[in-house]
Amino acid sequence: MKIAVLSGSVYGTAEEVARHATRLLQEAGCDARHDPRASLADLQAFAPQAFLTVTSTTGMGELPDNLQPLYYAIRDHLPAWSGLPGAVIALGDSSYGDTYCAGGEQVRELYAELGIREVLPMLRLDASESVTPEQDAEPWVAEFIVALTA
């Protein structure tokens, strides 16, 4: 299965979680690709069969700058990905209250608009509780792999 792993990161943590998840997906036999600077054309050329987005939240609940161009390109062009499976890992800090993991919520809303099936509830990784988000994500990624192959 061809899985596009997208990431939005400010300080690199979400990108590292995305890289780690990509390795786990590849070890499970998936054709997973992560390019933190992927364009919509890159994604369409890859022709993914599933999506995993790993993103942090910045500012007042926005997506990181490096994910915004791809997010808006997808939102503006609405590619025909309806019915494809997908899931989101959101990184945030619960001390920010209402904006906690808001970047991930934005991606979930875009998935819904595109008709991408959310195969697992969004994983929320709280920076105030975790110092090893890559390892904390591993059980969830294992569930994601099972959900994709079921």
Side-chain angles (χ1 to χ4, degrees):
M1 175 172 280
K2 295 168 79 170
I3 305 168
V5 180
L6 313 176
S7 66
S9 196
V10 178
Y11 299 111
T13 305
E15 192 169 319
E16 186 52 41
V17 172
R19 273 192 231 111
H20 188 66
T22 300
R23 283 191 298 273
L24 295 173
L25 290 163
Q26 290 168 342
E27 289 170 5
C30 299
D31 180 6
R33 295 193 190 166
H34 171 243
D35 178 357
R37 291 161 224 359
S39 68
L40 179 54
D42 295 334
L43 278 180
Q44 290 175 316
F46 177 55
Q49 298 167 301
F51 295 88
L52 172 60
T53 301
V54 182
T55 187
S56 58
T57 301
T58 187
M60 297 300 296
E62 293 97 23
L63 291 167
D65 289 344
N66 70 314
L67 184 56
Q68 286 185 22
L70 179 58
Y71 172 88
Y72 290 120
I74 292 170
R75 190 191 69 190
D76 293 346
H77 291 92
L78 297 175
W81 294 334
S82 183
L84 295 179
V88 177
I89 297 174
L91 285 76
D93 186 327
S94 60
S95 67
Y96 284 88
D98 291 346
T99 62
Y100 174 57
C101 292
E105 291 295 347
Q106 286 182 22
V107 173
R108 288 181 73 217
E109 290 170 13
L110 179 62
Y111 275 10
E113 190 175 337
L114 293 166
I116 292 175
R117 289 183 298 110
E118 186 175 56
V119 295
L120 277 182
M122 182 173 76
L123 174 63
R124 296 170 187 267
L125 296 172
D126 189 347
S128 67
E129 295 179 2
S130 173
V131 293
T132 57
E134 306 89 31
Q135 292 172 349
D136 294 345
E138 286 180 3
W140 186 94
V141 173
E143 286 184 52
F144 180 61
I145 292 167
V146 169
L148 292 178
T149 57

